[in-house]
Amino acid sequence: MTASQTTVDFDIAIVGGAMAGATLALGLAKLAQELKRPLKVALIEASRPGGLHPGFDARSIAIAQGSIFELTRLGIWPELAHLGTPIGNIHVSDRGHFGMTTLNASDFHLPYLGQVVELERVGAALFELLEKQQISLYCPAKLASIRADIDANYLLLDDGRELSAKLVVAADGLNSVVRRDFALPLEQVDFEQVAVVANIGIDKPHGQWAYERFTDSGPLALLPMANVDGQARMSLVWALSPAMAQQMLTCSKSTFLASLQQAFGYRSGQFIEVGERHAYPLKLSSMPRPIYQRTLFIGNAAQTLHPIAGQGFNLGLRDLVCVIDAVRGALLAGDDLGGAKLTHHYLAQRSQDRASTINNVEFLVRGFSNQHWPLVAGRNIGLRLLSWCPPLKTPIARQAMGWKSPTTSAS
């Protein structure tokens, strides 16, 4: 740093302003207002929402009912609700076998099991909210390097500016610069699958149905979306082998739709249109200890999940809610915002939920992407039992709807 440069001091610096980082910044702003405490928050993000933003791209995600409760508590969901499409029902099936079951919101006396939102539209709405808050938004800006010190961490941006923060929250995704600079370990499991993602036009209303269909190549999910110009749409996530995924990316629309129809069937009607296709390699990644000196890791920076159960953002949301609760406790107790007490409290509180969710997702991927007869028979009997004995659906529904405390596993 030269003599002409000045370090700008913050209480909390958030690296990464996609879904997790932007939501955390808004939650911290609300916390400061509630406690009537000054809280200097910086949010560092490389680009504004748009087609090129990797965190707010063409994908859609399902936000679980429990996550919507948390977003409402943070004052955020009321500003996003108009962008959501309700999931009223979920249909689960195993292609070529007898196993199938359904989950219905009405059975649990709920208006919906979750909501589907398009990331690009949500990103624009979140940034509008950020600009109304007392948050220092560094955008466009990239983190060039980070250095840990006793009383603060120092963040150098790619334009030469330097920030200091008592607490840094890394929300900068799978390829986290914060994790890289601190040389922290990341455990990975390669599922040897690629997710092909696209928006699909269908010839009849989706009726708020979501589908999870297990095929020989991997799981195939369809989520209900809002109509555009009267056209009913669904969001597709299709797990395929790398070679097959490449074929589906480069083939004609008619070939793609015919292949998808054959894999899925006609339960949701005829597939008549497909938008731009994207592909993402599917790996399970997790940090053994998502903390470092004055640093917490949340969302995809801490763990990335296979999309089989739609739990990625919902787990990340529980991460950031735990951060907010930890900051609340530190402010009320007069503790050091980035001290070891706070970081180790976060580690302890997130341990069980992270481990159980990661293990459950890996179990689903292994169990439903396997054609060994004992596993096929077992999972199909399990799906049928859920249909025959509705009370067995309750724990499954609780998990699907994100009914977990942000600091513990499901009760």
Side-chain angles (χ1 to χ4, degrees), residues 19 95 108 115 128 151 163 169 173 175 186 208 212 266 313 349-350:
M19 285 288 289
R95 184 176 184 269
F108 301 94
Q115 296 264 352
E128 285 184 15
D151 297 321
L163 317 179
V169 181
N175 300 312
L186 181 71
Q208 299 183 0
E212 186 91 48
Y266 290 84
F313 172 70
Q349 293 297 298
R350 295 303 301 134

Side-chain angles (χ1 to χ4, degrees), residues 363-390:
F363 172 79
L364 283 173
V365 175
R366 303 288 188 198
F368 280 91
S369 297
N370 196 309
Q371 296 306 308
H372 292 305
W373 173 242
L375 284 175
V376 172
R379 72 191 185 216
N380 279 270
I381 290 170
L383 289 173
R384 275 299 177 188
L385 283 174
L386 289 174
S387 294
W388 294 333
C389 188

Side-chain angles (χ1 to χ4, degrees), residues 335-347:
D335 293 335
D336 182 350
L337 267 183
K341 180 179 177 180
L342 182 146
T343 57
H344 284 82
H345 173 78
Y346 174 82
L347 179 65

